[in-house]
Amino acid sequence: MSKHWKPDAEAVQIVPAGEPGKKRWPEGATVGLVVVAAACIGLAAVLYHVAGPRDVFEEPSD
């Protein structure tokens, strides 16, 4: 018969440098999020300029 697998004996735990158990951002993640946010704002501004209203105020009719 085969042996039963015991995960506690073979398990290897990888702990990142620094405080154990603390989640860390990957390098460059903050810059990436800022770039994506700036691109979204820019795209919204361009779409508003292209497809937005032409005259915000109506000219009075005399």
Side-chain angles (χ1 to χ4, degrees):
M1 279 195 150
S2 63
K3 292 181 174 179
H4 292 291
W5 179 59
K6 295 184 180 179
D8 294 338
E10 296 178 13
V12 176
Q13 202 171 23
I14 299 173
V15 179
E19 296 180 30
K22 184 178 179 184
K23 301 279 183 177
R24 295 179 48 100
W25 283 91
E27 287 190 30
T30 304
V31 175
L33 285 176
V34 169
V35 168
V36 169
C40 288
I41 292 170
L43 180 63
V46 167
L47 284 176
Y48 183 79
H49 180 71
V50 170
R54 297 290 177 221
D55 283 331
V56 178
F57 299 103
E58 232 179 81
E59 290 187 26
S61 59
D62 287 336

